[in-house]
Amino acid sequence: GLCGSATVFFTPSWEAGLEIVERRGHSSYYLNLYPEESLWRDATIFFGQTDVIMRNNTESPVLYYVSDDPVAKEITLYVIGNSPYVEITIDDPIVYGNSAESFRHMTLPDGTVVTDSIYTSYARIY
């Protein structure tokens, strides 16, 4: 439900280079609910305690566009805008037992690379 929506909103926002203000992964991960490639890159929300908050750190508006394919049971969220980065690369997560960290490298037009990461820890993976 709502956590699936939070994950669908968070993942492409992070991949697009938007600033992550607040995000927390689940305490448990259910492989039957999410594809394995999204492992370590999910987001959860909990009323009054945990939100997913992105900040538009670009100089232009950002548009989210959602497309769904009921036959394939897939939805796609597009992040449309003018990125300040000429390239964004995301490393495969470095896994430490039941936790992992993924690094994002964002290259500015002058060649400066800005790197940040997300960290996720699960009590148990189902």
Side-chain angles (χ1 to χ4, degrees), residues 3 19-20 32 40 46 60 69 101 106-107 109 117:
C3 289
E19 180 183 349
I20 308 305
N32 62 330
W40 313 111
F46 187 76
S60 66
D69 182 341
E101 189 170 19
M106 301 163 288
T107 306
S117 67

Side-chain angles (χ1 to χ4, degrees), residues 70-87:
V71 174
K73 297 182 181 178
E74 294 177 350
I75 62 168
T76 304
L77 185 129
Y78 298 91
V79 182
I80 303 166
N82 293 320
S83 175
Y85 308 110
V86 294
E87 181 180 33

Side-chain angles (χ1 to χ4, degrees), residues 3 7 34 40 47 54 57 67 76 87 95 98 115 117-118:
C3 289
T7 297
Y34 299 100
W40 313 111
F47 182 73
M54 264 50 86
N57 54 339
S67 172
T76 304
E87 181 180 33
V95 179
N98 280 349
T115 299
S117 67
I118 57 169

Side-chain angles (χ1 to χ4, degrees), residues 35-81:
E36 193 166 351
E37 59 269 15
S38 70
L39 183 62
W40 313 111
R41 291 169 69 176
D42 66 312
T44 185
I45 56 176
F46 187 76
F47 182 73
Q49 293 184 357
T50 302
D51 284 318
V52 178
I53 302 172
M54 264 50 86
R55 178 175 291 127
N56 180 0
N57 54 339
T58 72
E59 294 183 12
S60 66
V62 173
L63 173 70
Y64 288 91
Y65 174 76
V66 178
S67 172
D68 71 320
D69 182 341
V71 174
K73 297 182 181 178
E74 294 177 350
I75 62 168
T76 304
L77 185 129
Y78 298 91
V79 182
I80 303 166

